[in-house]
Amino acid sequence: LRDMLNYVPDPSARYITGRVIAASPGPFVRSVLVNVGARDGVGKGQATVNGQGLVGRVAEVGHRSARVLLITDLNSRIPVVVGSSRERAILAGDNSDRPEILYLPAEVQVSPGDRVVTSGHGGVFAPGLPIGVVAAVGDDGVRVQPFVDWDRLEYLRLIDFGADDLLSAPQGPPEDAEGGR
């Protein structure tokens, strides 16, 4: 069946596990430093998880270490699906412990307890990575309680889903169908 449909499978994920060696729990930056880096195959944009769920993504890579931007950071934006309706939205960190769901259509009904997972759109994160549950729906928007216990981050798995091409800058004008520019 795969041959008949010319199915192209997703690239297999590669991963490495690193230990959290520093955290910046300040009011303006939510990130951690792990003891694996470029020498170990870590690349910018890789998803970072622990046994509970999605922690964040690699923001900076050094030779022997990498900085992970947590999903609660103000600069974090992640495409997600919410609840059994599987409505697409964006999870936006705001430096609080409960990130907000943005761009959810007004007619969509969400309730506390609805599960939030990555959508896979954009190709950076695989679909279905657990993030958390809807904690509150109110005047200040839809808030998510992440599964991750931020006070107990010790070891993180950095996963490469093959998004290197999506995150690197283009090297010039794209080629047309005949191979010209």
Side-chain angles (χ1 to χ4, degrees):
L1 180 59
R2 289 180 184 195
D3 289 340
M4 288 175 27
L5 295 174
N6 288 331
Y7 174 73
V8 178
D10 290 334
S12 60
R14 297 173 311 182
Y15 62 89
I16 186 165
T17 302
R19 185 171 53 88
V20 174
I21 57 175
S24 55
F28 301 111
V29 177
R30 301 276 176 122
S31 67
V32 295
L33 197 65
V34 292
N35 68 343
V36 291
R39 71 174 181 181
D40 305 302
V42 175
K44 187 175 179 180
Q46 291 178 345
T48 308
V49 300
N50 69 3
Q52 299 164 317
L54 184 66
V55 173
R57 78 173 76 192
V58 175
E60 296 177 288
V61 181
H63 183 67
R64 298 176 56 178
S65 63
R67 181 161 307 280
V68 175
L69 184 73
L70 304 180
I71 63 172
T72 56
D73 188 88
L74 182 64
N75 296 304
S76 177
R77 299 290 185 269
I78 299 166
V80 297
V81 291
V82 181
S84 59
S85 68
R86 309 267 311 150
E87 272 303 320
R88 287 189 253 163
I90 299 292
L91 181 74
D94 61 359
N95 289 347
S96 73
D97 289 336
R98 291 184 171 177
E100 184 178 7
I101 299 276
L102 302 177
Y103 310 116
L104 194 62
E107 68 275 0
V108 174
Q109 297 295 318
V110 296
S111 313
D114 285 351
R115 191 172 171 91
V116 179
V117 299
T118 56
S119 69
H121 288 86
V124 176
F125 297 113
L129 294 175
I131 294 175
V133 294
V134 172
V137 179
D139 294 337
D140 65 338
V142 178
R143 295 292 178 160
V144 174
Q145 178 62 53
F147 291 133
V148 174
D149 182 354
W150 304 112
D151 295 327
R152 300 192 186 274
L153 290 180
E154 294 181 46
Y155 290 91
L156 301 180
R157 180 170 284 177
L158 290 71
I159 308 172
D160 181 5
F161 292 108
D164 295 340
D165 295 336
L166 295 171
L167 297 173
S168 59
Q171 300 299 319
E175 292 185 13
D176 63 18
E178 296 173 3
R181 296 214 182 259

